[in-house]
Amino acid sequence: MFRKTVVPLAVLTAVAGMAVAPATAAAAAPTCGTGPSYPYIVLYAPHTPPALVDAELAAKCGSRTGYYPEIGVAVAASADPGFAGKIGVHRAYSGKKEITDAGGPDPAVARAGVTAQQWDMRAIKAPEANRIYQGSAAVTVGVLDSGVDATHPALKNAVDPDASAGCGTGVPDPSAWGPVGDVFHGTHVAGTIAAKDPANGFTGIAPGVRIASVRLSDSPQGWVYPEAAVCGLVWAADHHFPVVNASWSVDPGLFYCADQPGEAAVFEAVRRAAAYARRNGVLVVAAAGNNGFDLTKQTEDPIPVPQYPVTPACKSLPQGLPGVVTVSSVGYSGTKAATSNYGAGAVRLTAPGGANGDSPPDGQGVDCPLSTALDGGYRAICGTSMAAPHVAGVAALLASRHPHASPARLAALLEAQADPVPCPAGTDCTGTDRDNSYYGRGRVNALRAVR
């Protein structure tokens, strides 16, 4: 957190409340501008025939690189700076066109004897849960992130290459799911969920489940563009992962408004993909973000590309979508990290993600949760990105215990079994002990998931 002359179509096709014009017998070649080629998402009516998609894109100076007919979202490439305008600014958008790819982690921790440093696991009773049940290999958790290092000793038996893919281009590539460069964000997330390294004393929440590495970013900066998010969610749906972890929000903005040019296309494309995933049995667990503000009360996007007022029609994606379990972060003391986003109705659960300055006692680790890194060792980093996989790991235990549970049922179990966390005195937290703007329904509990 990954932030001319129209050649019309042969069939009148309704698209997101708009229409694509019918074809004429002959049409002039399009007049196209020139510039760098960028990827775009383009909205169509679900199940629009690919030939019609190709015809319109070609007529408007683009070409199809991917297509998800189930949800009517195409991934296109165009070097014409006016491509989105020709398609319609409520139907087409390029996140990469908006930007140019241009606190660091704690130092590596010793590879041996790290059990005592896993204060985050003790906070959610994961060690006790592990002694009872470690999850089922029939359950695969999709780690939609920066790629997972399957050579790590703690993950080599967990990662399923056949269920993994790269989605950075918006089109799944089964050969491109590993990490890019030295980015270990996805590997850290995966370790929290399912790592097992007896030699070094590290155990994740559900070490018996499998991990699918679905790499959404091809950038060392971790940008997750709309087409990658759509690709990852559809991949998860088509492979029927019961749980996916989304420790990112769609880039380049933080909020996307359903009623604004460009952003409307992003909102609708990701909404359709998330709804498709939910219909196919996928529970999406997402990080709330690290801006330190109330997601429900923002009036400006802190990442203005472009700048629109933030209204109730604007949401962070996928965090603000129906059915998504959004997670805030707490530190060692159990109070919300100052950097964690929050909001009544926006946050459904909380989990350990660490907070700078909220330190455990000597010998019990550092401020941030420890997990797997690229060098075969372990590193500690803080953030809601680290909180979310604690919830995804517990959800994987629940999916193992309840193999036919729907996403709504898994979410309900997570919330019902959470430990209530009351609002701290003297803060802007609102709500009850059992449901408030800082912690939602409470801190996730792994032990209750396996009893």
Side-chain angles (χ1 to χ4, degrees):
M1 69 188 320
F2 258 64
R3 234 177 135 199
K4 120 204 110 180
T5 301
V6 175
V7 180
L9 303 183
V11 177
L12 185 66
T13 307
V15 183
M18 305 181 70
V20 178
T24 57
T31 301
C32 302
T34 58
S37 181
Y38 291 105
Y40 290 79
I41 53 164
V42 183
L43 297 179
Y44 289 89
H47 305 291
T48 298
L52 300 186
V53 174
D54 290 344
E56 186 193 22
L57 294 177
K60 297 175 180 176
C61 304
S63 61
R64 173 168 61 97
T65 59
Y67 183 43
Y68 302 98
E70 305 91 338
I71 60 173
V73 177
V75 181
S78 178
D80 185 341
F83 175 74
K86 292 170 181 175
I87 292 288
V89 293
H90 285 81
R91 289 182 53 215
Y93 181 83
S94 174
K96 193 168 186 178
K97 188 173 183 293
E98 296 287 352
I99 58 175
T100 300
D101 280 349
D106 288 323
V109 180
R111 300 182 184 219
V114 298
T115 303
Q117 301 176 53
Q118 291 188 274
W119 60 264
D120 55 314
M121 297 297 174
R122 293 189 291 276
I124 65 167
K125 298 182 171 58
E128 295 96 320
N130 284 166
R131 288 193 286 270
I132 297 172
Y133 187 54
Q134 299 191 354
S136 168
V139 168
T140 299
V141 178
V143 175
L144 279 55
D145 212 285
S146 64
V148 177
D149 180 10
T151 68
H152 195 289
L155 294 170
K156 63 182 181 180
N157 294 322
V159 176
D160 182 356
D162 293 335
S164 300
C167 273
T169 65
V171 181
D173 180 351
S175 67
W177 51 265
V180 174
D182 60 358
V183 180
F184 64 92
H185 189 276
T187 300
H188 197 281
V189 165
T192 297
I193 297 168
K196 188 170 186 177
D197 182 4
N200 293 313
F202 186 91
T203 306
I205 295 160
V209 306
R210 304 301 304 278
I211 292 290
S213 172
V214 184
R215 193 180 80 202
L216 301 190
S217 177
D218 291 339
S219 159
Q221 287 77 23
W223 298 111
V224 176
Y225 297 118
E227 63 272 16
V230 169
C231 173
L233 289 167
V234 172
W235 180 269
D238 289 345
H239 288 76
H240 301 286
F241 304 151
V243 181
V244 301
N245 189 86
S247 286
W248 45 271
S249 59
V250 172
D251 291 309
L254 181 61
F255 291 94
Y256 290 87
C257 306
D259 57 355
Q260 295 293 343
E263 294 188 3
V266 179
F267 189 100
E268 180 62 12
V270 179
R271 186 201 67 77
R272 291 185 192 180
Y276 178 68
R278 190 169 65 254
R279 290 195 302 271
N280 281 272
V282 180
L283 175 68
V284 178
V285 178
N290 303 307
N291 309 93
F293 55 49
D294 187 329
L295 289 165
T296 68
K297 295 181 179 179
Q298 282 301 109
T299 57
E300 294 182 354
D301 193 324
I303 312 172
V305 281
Q307 178 71 65
Y308 294 116
V310 173
T311 70
C314 308
K315 303 292 182 184
S316 187
L317 301 175
Q319 290 79 1
L321 296 174
V324 174
V325 174
T326 298
V327 183
S328 67
S329 173
V330 296
Y332 173 78
S333 67
T335 57
K336 185 185 76 67
T339 55
S340 176
N341 292 345
Y342 57 101
V347 165
R348 295 181 66 176
L349 289 165
T350 197
N356 291 325
D358 190 353
S359 304
D362 289 347
Q364 295 188 33
V366 293
D367 300 0
C368 306
L370 184 72
S371 191
T372 42
L374 296 184
D375 55 5
Y378 297 88
R379 289 179 182 265
I381 47 177
C382 285
T384 58
S385 283
M386 285 56 254
H390 288 80
V391 175
V394 176
L397 292 175
L398 287 168
S400 299
R401 284 294 205 200
H402 307 277
H404 303 296
S406 67
R409 177 61 177 156
L410 291 178
L413 287 169
L414 284 167
E415 294 179 2
Q417 295 174 357
D419 295 320
V421 184
C423 284
T427 69
D428 62 348
C429 178
T430 60
T432 67
D433 290 359
R434 202 66 183 87
D435 191 1
N436 60 63
S437 60
Y438 273 20
Y439 310 112
R441 298 300 297 273
R443 185 178 58 242
V444 72
N445 186 305
L447 182 57
R448 292 198 183 103
V450 301
R451 279 180 166 168

XYZ file of all heavy atoms in Angstrom, residues 124-172:
333
model
N -2.880 -13.461 20.666
C -4.120 -14.013 20.104
C -4.268 -15.504 20.423
O -5.108 -16.181 19.848
C -4.208 -13.778 18.586
C -3.102 -14.544 17.846
C -4.143 -12.292 18.259
C -3.310 -14.606 16.343
N -3.424 -16.007 21.343
C -3.477 -17.401 21.800
C -3.214 -18.411 20.680
O -3.755 -19.523 20.681
C -4.813 -17.687 22.489
C -5.042 -16.837 23.742
C -6.359 -17.179 24.414
C -6.472 -16.495 25.780
N -6.368 -15.031 25.715
N -2.338 -18.030 19.757
C -1.985 -18.947 18.672
C -1.187 -20.159 19.151
O -1.417 -21.273 18.657
C -1.222 -18.204 17.580
N -0.229 -20.020 20.085
C 0.491 -21.218 20.535
C -0.432 -22.272 21.139
O -0.273 -23.475 20.879
C 1.484 -20.673 21.572
C 1.702 -19.252 21.164
C 0.364 -18.795 20.674
N -1.414 -21.832 21.941
C -2.362 -22.784 22.504
C -3.203 -23.439 21.407
O -3.491 -24.635 21.447
C -3.290 -22.070 23.498
C -2.579 -21.521 24.724
C -2.220 -20.054 24.571
O -1.792 -19.651 23.452
O -2.376 -19.311 25.559
N -3.585 -22.636 20.399
C -4.356 -23.187 19.285
C -3.547 -24.215 18.507
O -4.066 -25.268 18.115
C -4.807 -22.056 18.367
N -2.264 -23.923 18.289
C -1.392 -24.844 17.552
C -1.312 -26.216 18.206
O -1.182 -27.237 17.523
C 0.031 -24.277 17.436
C 0.173 -23.173 16.414
O 1.166 -22.475 16.414
N -0.806 -23.001 15.535
N -1.364 -26.225 19.544
C -1.262 -27.509 20.246
C -2.523 -28.366 20.058
O -2.486 -29.576 20.274
C -0.985 -27.262 21.727
C 0.437 -26.763 21.989
C 0.794 -26.825 23.453
N 0.142 -25.793 24.238
C 0.660 -24.575 24.458
N 1.807 -24.234 23.899
N 0.006 -23.699 25.207
N -3.611 -27.720 19.675
C -4.869 -28.440 19.460
C -5.061 -28.788 17.988
O -5.415 -29.918 17.639
C -6.054 -27.600 19.963
C -5.941 -27.384 21.478
C -7.386 -28.267 19.611
C -6.953 -26.403 22.016
N -4.811 -27.817 17.104
C -5.096 -28.006 15.680
C -4.310 -26.974 14.880
O -4.256 -25.803 15.255
C -6.594 -27.839 15.428
C -7.065 -28.155 14.032
C -6.793 -29.382 13.430
C -7.814 -27.222 13.312
C -7.260 -29.672 12.156
C -8.297 -27.509 12.045
C -8.004 -28.738 11.472
O -8.470 -29.020 10.211
N -3.704 -27.411 13.757
C -2.873 -26.511 12.968
C -3.451 -26.202 11.592
O -2.803 -25.542 10.779
C -1.458 -27.089 12.830
C -0.765 -27.254 14.170
C 0.704 -27.566 14.052
O 1.238 -27.781 12.967
N 1.391 -27.585 15.188
N -4.687 -26.635 11.359
C -5.306 -26.345 10.077
C -5.177 -27.488 9.104
O -4.375 -28.410 9.282
N -5.946 -27.418 8.025
C -6.020 -28.488 7.036
C -5.295 -28.116 5.754
O -5.417 -26.978 5.260
C -7.486 -28.782 6.703
O -7.596 -29.610 5.568
N -4.585 -29.086 5.176
C -3.910 -28.875 3.896
C -4.902 -28.723 2.757
O -4.520 -28.331 1.644
C -2.954 -30.033 3.609
N -6.164 -29.021 3.020
C -7.197 -28.813 2.006
C -7.593 -27.340 1.891
O -8.314 -26.967 0.965
C -8.435 -29.651 2.329
N -7.127 -26.518 2.820
C -7.429 -25.088 2.821
C -6.228 -24.319 2.279
O -5.108 -24.483 2.766
C -7.775 -24.597 4.239
C -7.812 -23.072 4.301
C -9.107 -25.182 4.677
N -6.468 -23.492 1.267
C -5.419 -22.644 0.709
C -5.775 -21.188 0.949
O -6.876 -20.737 0.607
C -5.256 -22.887 -0.801
O -4.879 -24.248 -1.022
C -4.177 -21.978 -1.384
N -4.838 -20.454 1.541
C -5.010 -19.022 1.768
C -4.279 -18.274 0.661
O -3.084 -18.487 0.444
C -4.455 -18.600 3.139
C -4.595 -17.089 3.330
C -5.167 -19.341 4.258
N -4.994 -17.414 -0.030
C -4.357 -16.591 -1.055
C -3.692 -15.381 -0.430
O -4.352 -14.567 0.213
N -2.376 -15.279 -0.594
C -1.639 -14.100 -0.135
C -1.484 -13.191 -1.352
O -0.592 -13.373 -2.180
C -0.280 -14.475 0.475
C 0.515 -13.226 0.835
C -0.496 -15.321 1.727
N -2.405 -12.242 -1.485
C -2.384 -11.292 -2.585
C -1.472 -10.154 -2.158
O -1.846 -9.284 -1.368
C -3.799 -10.785 -2.884
C -4.701 -11.660 -3.739
C -4.857 -13.061 -3.179
C -6.057 -11.008 -3.957
N -0.243 -10.149 -2.684
C 0.769 -9.268 -2.118
C 1.927 -9.080 -3.089
O 1.710 -9.043 -4.311
C 1.247 -9.851 -0.776
C 1.643 -8.770 0.223
O 2.729 -8.190 0.036
O 0.886 -8.516 1.168
N 3.148 -9.020 -2.554
C 4.345 -8.743 -3.357
C 5.069 -10.008 -3.791
O 6.162 -9.931 -4.333
C 5.309 -7.867 -2.549
O 5.767 -8.551 -1.393
N 4.466 -11.172 -3.560
C 5.126 -12.440 -3.856
C 5.657 -13.074 -2.583
O 5.970 -12.381 -1.605
N 5.737 -14.401 -2.579
C 6.178 -15.149 -1.402
C 7.410 -15.970 -1.759
O 7.447 -16.629 -2.802
C 5.062 -16.087 -0.897
C 5.544 -16.926 0.286
C 3.823 -15.281 -0.500
N 8.419 -15.931 -0.882
C 9.648 -16.703 -1.077
C 9.428 -18.136 -0.614
O 9.460 -18.428 0.581
C 10.793 -16.052 -0.300
C 12.107 -16.805 -0.462
O 12.176 -17.721 -1.320
O 13.072 -16.479 0.259
N 9.226 -19.022 -1.584
C 8.949 -20.424 -1.256
C 10.194 -21.202 -0.881
O 10.097 -22.379 -0.511
C 8.258 -21.102 -2.441
N 11.369 -20.566 -0.946
C 12.593 -21.258 -0.529
C 12.865 -21.087 0.965
O 13.771 -21.733 1.499
C 13.812 -20.731 -1.317
O 14.098 -19.376 -0.937
C 13.561 -20.799 -2.814
N 12.107 -20.224 1.626
C 12.321 -20.031 3.068
C 12.021 -21.339 3.793
O 11.002 -21.990 3.521
C 11.417 -18.924 3.599
C 11.818 -18.429 4.948
N 11.652 -19.180 6.100
C 12.394 -17.262 5.339
C 12.090 -18.501 7.132
N 12.554 -17.329 6.702
N 12.874 -21.748 4.726
C 12.656 -23.019 5.432
C 11.288 -23.124 6.101
O 10.726 -24.214 6.199
C 13.779 -23.038 6.483
C 14.839 -22.161 5.924
C 14.137 -21.096 5.152
N 10.741 -21.999 6.534
C 9.452 -22.025 7.220
C 8.271 -22.064 6.267
O 7.139 -22.293 6.691
C 9.322 -20.802 8.131
N 8.519 -21.835 4.970
C 7.430 -21.743 4.006
C 7.515 -22.766 2.882
O 6.565 -22.905 2.100
C 7.395 -20.331 3.396
C 7.032 -19.194 4.352
C 7.274 -17.841 3.684
C 5.591 -19.311 4.812
N 8.625 -23.481 2.786
C 8.836 -24.354 1.630
C 7.785 -25.451 1.519
O 7.489 -25.919 0.412
C 10.240 -24.959 1.683
C 10.505 -25.871 2.882
C 11.935 -26.373 2.863
C 12.207 -27.301 4.055
N 13.615 -27.794 4.050
N 7.203 -25.859 2.632
C 6.166 -26.887 2.593
C 4.761 -26.301 2.546
O 3.782 -27.048 2.427
C 6.289 -27.812 3.807
C 7.577 -28.623 3.786
O 8.016 -29.072 2.736
N 8.191 -28.790 4.953
N 4.673 -24.994 2.647
C 3.356 -24.351 2.689
C 2.914 -23.827 1.331
O 1.731 -23.880 0.989
C 3.363 -23.201 3.702
N 3.847 -23.301 0.547
C 3.475 -22.641 -0.710
C 3.110 -23.669 -1.769
O 3.842 -24.634 -2.010
C 4.620 -21.736 -1.208
C 4.266 -21.127 -2.566
C 4.908 -20.635 -0.192
N 1.984 -23.443 -2.407
C 1.512 -24.309 -3.496
C 1.761 -23.604 -4.823
O 0.996 -22.710 -5.210
C 0.019 -24.589 -3.320
C -0.532 -25.515 -4.394
O 0.221 -25.886 -5.325
O -1.722 -25.873 -4.309
N 2.801 -23.997 -5.566
C 3.104 -23.312 -6.832
C 1.972 -23.417 -7.844
O 1.754 -22.492 -8.636
C 4.359 -24.035 -7.328
C 4.965 -24.664 -6.113
C 3.806 -25.024 -5.246
N 1.244 -24.532 -7.831
C 0.182 -24.721 -8.820
C -1.006 -23.793 -8.597
O -1.797 -23.572 -9.520
C -0.299 -26.173 -8.795
C 0.758 -27.144 -9.280
O 1.643 -26.705 -10.054
O 0.704 -28.319 -8.885
N -1.133 -23.269 -7.388
C -2.226 -22.343 -7.088
C -1.766 -20.887 -7.125
O -2.560 -19.984 -6.852
C -2.824 -22.654 -5.720
N -0.497 -20.653 -7.481
C 0.103 -19.326 -7.423
C 0.204 -18.700 -8.811
O 0.246 -19.397 -9.820
C 1.491 -19.415 -6.785
O 1.421 -19.943 -5.468
N 0.263 -17.368 -8.843
C 0.361 -16.661 -10.119
C 0.796 -15.228 -9.870
O 0.627 -14.686 -8.771
C -0.980 -16.672 -10.861
N 1.333 -14.620 -10.911
C 1.606 -13.188 -10.894
C 0.474 -12.455 -11.578
O -0.013 -12.888 -12.625
N 0.044 -11.324 -10.999
C -1.055 -10.538 -11.560
C -0.657 -9.087 -11.790
O -1.519 -8.233 -11.991
C -2.265 -10.601 -10.630
S -3.364 -12.012 -10.918
N 0.623 -8.798 -11.759
C 1.071 -7.414 -11.863
C 0.644 -6.724 -13.138
O 0.432 -5.512 -13.158
N 0.509 -7.479 -14.234
C 0.093 -6.891 -15.514
C -1.419 -6.846 -15.669
O -1.931 -6.297 -16.644
C 0.668 -7.692 -16.682
O 0.098 -9.012 -16.676
C 2.179 -7.800 -16.593
N -2.133 -7.447 -14.722
C -3.570 -7.559 -14.855
C -4.013 -8.851 -15.498
O -5.211 -9.117 -15.593
N -3.054 -9.655 -15.933
C -3.323 -10.949 -16.565
C -2.536 -12.005 -15.808
O -1.328 -11.850 -15.601
C -2.903 -10.946 -18.045
C -3.209 -12.286 -18.701
C -3.606 -9.818 -18.785
N -3.161 -13.101 -15.356
C -2.430 -14.081 -14.536
C -1.298 -14.747 -15.291
O -1.462 -15.183 -16.430
C -3.507 -15.092 -14.133
C -4.629 -14.897 -15.095
C -4.579 -13.472 -15.520
